Amino acid sequence: MKSNESAENYLETILILSEKKPVVRSVDIAEELGFKKSSVSVAMKNLRAKELITVRPEGYIYLTPAGLKIAQMIYERHQVIASFLTRLGVSEDVALEDACRIEHAISQESFEALKAHINQAAD
């Protein structure tokens, strides 16, 4: 897994958790992703160094504006791709797994074309 893909997954997870919980902590991320807390701590250190997150003294994790922008982009890709695949008849579990892989690899141009096609089909 590319480090960029890993960072994007962490940012997306923080975004999703922040919509469900009042605060996000490393332990919440570890539980959500099924990772060891030590692995998450290393990832959070890297994201903090890239100024994509901030961590409060209490351990609460927040996305910076730059981190939020990336997280929202990845989350939108995930939702659109998973929805498209399920409309094609792919089972929800497979569609979600595939969307998680595709969301990192698809170019912005291809994603915009896919989104436009979906919107045209809905009209």
Side-chain angles (χ1 to χ4, degrees):
M1 182 174 356
K2 298 182 296 184
S3 64
N4 194 35
E5 181 178 332
S6 176
E8 289 172 350
N9 278 333
Y10 277 110
L11 295 170
E12 180 184 22
T13 300
I14 294 166
L15 175 66
I16 292 166
L17 288 172
S18 70
E19 292 175 354
K20 296 179 191 175
K21 298 175 167 269
V23 293
V24 177
R25 300 165 299 144
S26 289
V27 67
D28 301 319
I29 298 166
E31 286 176 12
E32 182 74 15
L33 295 174
F35 294 164
K36 292 181 182 175
K37 191 173 181 306
S38 58
S39 298
V40 174
S41 293
V42 170
M44 295 304 104
K45 182 179 177 184
N46 291 335
L47 292 175
R48 204 171 42 242
K50 294 177 181 175
E51 299 182 352
L52 297 172
I53 64 167
T54 58
V55 182
R56 305 271 310 168
E58 307 85 13
Y60 303 154
I61 300 166
Y62 298 95
L63 295 167
T64 64
L68 179 61
K69 183 177 179 181
I70 294 168
Q72 289 173 328
M73 176 195 68
I74 293 299
Y75 189 53
E76 178 191 25
R77 287 176 176 206
H78 184 93
Q79 291 178 308
V80 169
I81 294 166
S83 174
F84 182 68
L85 292 173
T86 55
R87 286 186 206 166
L88 292 175
V90 177
S91 72
E92 186 176 350
D93 288 345
V94 172
L96 291 172
E97 281 183 35
D98 287 348
C100 196
R101 287 191 294 274
I102 295 167
E103 68 194 22
H104 305 286
I106 193 168
S107 70
Q108 189 62 32
E109 180 181 356
S110 293
F111 178 69
E112 292 300 329
L114 178 64
K115 226 169 51 168
H117 175 75
I118 292 169
N119 290 337
Q120 282 178 343
D123 291 341

